[in-house]
Amino acid sequence: QQQVKQSPQSLIVQKGGISIINCAYENTAFDYFPWYQQFPGKGPALLIAIRPDVSEKKEGRFTISFNKSAKQFSLHIMDSQPGDSATYFCAASREREGGKLIFGQGTELSVKP
Amino acid sequence: DAGVTQSPTHLIKTRGQQVTLRCSPKSGHDTVSWYQQALGQGPQFIFQYYEEEERQRGNFPDRFSGHQFPNYSSELNVNALLLGDSALYLCASSFGSREPQHFGDGTRLSIL
């Protein structure tokens, strides 16, 4: 009920390409879905987040697509750059339980020049 | 505007010892959550403090305890350390326990 499953575990993309990372959740009570970016030796940094009242949210090169019926959401990174090489985590929480983020296992993205 | 700060950055302990980790929230934030991140894994929620009380707790034993001070800073205490407690411990802060949360860079705890 509390799991968030993330795939793929690792991803290699050429510079300028599109990186796509997928997540699936089980608990239909989740109503907040953020994506975090983490560089080695650093804490996770919030990239973009979505709530289930919209199906897509775009901020610069980053887009979240959300499919409520399938209980899935994904992160698209357009025009991927070597500086985007990092580990990406999806997460989910219930607003009523504010602060208890359930994280996916992470995706290590490598963007080749 | 200072973000979330954690201390120390690294710590080495031996089995059975006790450790205290510290966190200062981002300016304007009053809620602190603690997470444990094992190598190669996503962070796991330990507990959350708001108004100096533990509001929520994840699936962690009583060896893990915490405290929040009137200035909103927080401590995480772990007793009777086990090898499996080796991890990056992350602190996150928010306003009124509402999203979004902002994370610090963590304390790397190694147990020998």
Side-chain angles (χ1 to χ4, degrees), chain A residues 9 32 34 36 38 41-46 51 89 93-106, chain B residues 33 35 37 40-45 48 55-58 88 90 94 97-106:
Chain A
Q9 190 173 358
Y32 176 75
Y36 282 86
Q38 187 175 29
K42 296 292 185 182
L46 179 66
R51 289 183 167 83
F89 292 96
S93 71
R94 297 177 62 185
E95 289 273 44
R96 280 182 53 191
E97 295 182 359
K100 186 177 180 180
L101 284 168
I102 308 299
F103 281 84
Q105 299 89 332
Chain B
S33 300
Y35 292 80
Q37 186 177 22
Q41 300 295 317
Q44 286 200 311
F45 177 81
Q48 180 190 76
R55 290 194 65 185
Q56 293 191 75
R57 189 178 184 90
L88 180 68
L90 295 162
S94 61
S97 77
R98 291 193 294 272
E99 304 294 353
Q101 294 179 60
H102 296 259
F103 283 81
D105 287 337

